[in-house]
Amino acid sequence: MRFLRALARHNERDWFKPRKAEYEAVVLRPFQALLGALSAEFAQAGLPLRADPAKSIFRVYRDVRFSADKSPYKTHASGILSPNADKSTQGVIYLHLQPKASFVASAFYEPDKDALYRWRVSFVERKKEFQVVLRRLRAAGLELKDEGALKKMPRDFAEYASSELAPYFKFKSFLLSRPLTDAEVSSPTLVGLIRDFAVHSLPLLEYGWTSV
């Protein structure tokens, strides 16, 4: 976390290049070890999610080609656990570690048009099942985020505007999240906190996997 705070202050190639080995030692390798510990913990808990150090971690380098912000480096460490340990998979546990802005999420983030259509069809065909999912999530203190949701019902599903699930037809992502304090990130309890979040969010993941 100290390195990431320093990187946020000095987000420049001239600062980072001579410190790349330090980044690998104090950020990258510990993050790989954390994902490895989580993979083992998830397996023990019966969660069908795992990580691969070669495939599951997002690069520190930013893609600045189409961004007004030309800062070359990300000031956080992030990675995923998924059924196949691949970042392109939908239905993942996403881990984001950043000073004063860390969180863990369970996400189907911006699924493509066909997958989003199948989600909406599932709300018609499996309404009661999704309502059970929502109740289980709420019992665990979790609520789906409506960030980026449509203002109106999708055209193909306008007839369901009065449905109890009408708000969810407008969603473009399906995700849950839990903030992590800096103290939690630095605590030996971190793996257990993330495992518990994954267990509680599993109803959403299982519903999404079967829907898509």
Side-chain angles (χ1 to χ4, degrees):
M1 300 296 269
R2 284 194 297 271
F3 186 92
L4 292 175
R5 283 194 291 268
L7 179 57
R9 292 193 301 270
H10 307 283
N11 200 329
E12 303 156 357
R13 290 181 177 85
D14 288 346
W15 185 90
F16 183 83
K17 284 183 178 180
R19 295 172 176 83
K20 184 178 179 182
E22 182 183 359
Y23 161 78
E24 292 173 347
V26 302
V27 179
L28 180 59
R29 286 198 288 274
F31 196 84
Q32 291 172 330
L34 174 59
L35 290 182
L38 286 168
S39 291
E41 190 76 12
F42 280 20
Q44 189 171 0
L47 294 164
L49 299 151
R50 62 186 181 88
D52 180 333
K55 297 193 298 182
S56 303
I57 295 176
F58 293 93
R59 286 160 48 89
V60 69
Y61 306 101
R62 294 184 63 247
D63 183 353
V64 300
R65 291 173 298 172
F66 308 107
S67 174
D69 178 4
K70 299 302 181 182
S71 302
Y73 306 107
K74 299 171 186 174
T75 55
H76 63 268
S78 59
I80 60 95
L81 295 102
S82 72
N84 61 1
D86 194 304
K87 295 193 295 291
S88 63
T89 301
Q90 283 286 348
V92 305
I93 295 295
Y94 170 77
L95 182 59
H96 180 108
L97 300 185
Q98 181 177 7
K100 297 184 179 180
S102 299
F103 65 92
V104 58
S106 176
F108 292 83
Y109 185 71
E110 295 185 350
D112 63 32
K113 182 179 178 180
D114 291 339
L116 194 54
Y117 182 84
R118 289 194 290 274
W119 269 93
R120 291 165 177 163
V121 168
S122 77
F123 297 152
V124 176
E125 299 178 347
R126 302 164 62 198
K127 174 182 175 180
K128 290 184 179 179
E129 187 178 341
F130 189 65
Q131 287 173 323
V132 170
V133 169
L134 293 175
R135 287 197 294 270
R136 291 176 65 187
L137 295 176
R138 287 167 183 157
L142 298 173
E143 193 75 36
L144 282 169
K145 310 287 185 180
D146 63 355
E147 298 169 6
L150 299 172
K151 301 297 183 184
K152 299 180 180 179
M153 287 290 286
R155 183 171 52 187
D156 293 343
F157 298 91
E159 65 186 285
Y160 300 101
S162 60
S163 166
E164 295 175 39
L165 298 184
Y168 301 100
F169 283 90
K170 302 174 187 177
F171 280 29
K172 294 194 288 184
S173 294
F174 302 91
L175 59 94
L176 309 161
S177 67
R178 179 202 188 282
L180 296 167
T181 66
D182 287 1
E184 287 174 330
V185 170
S186 302
S187 167
T189 66
L190 179 62
V191 170
L193 291 173
I194 296 170
R195 176 207 59 216
D196 291 348
F197 171 84
V199 169
H200 290 146
S201 67
L202 188 59
L204 175 69
L205 293 172
E206 290 179 332
Y207 181 89
W209 291 328
T210 56
S211 296
V212 175

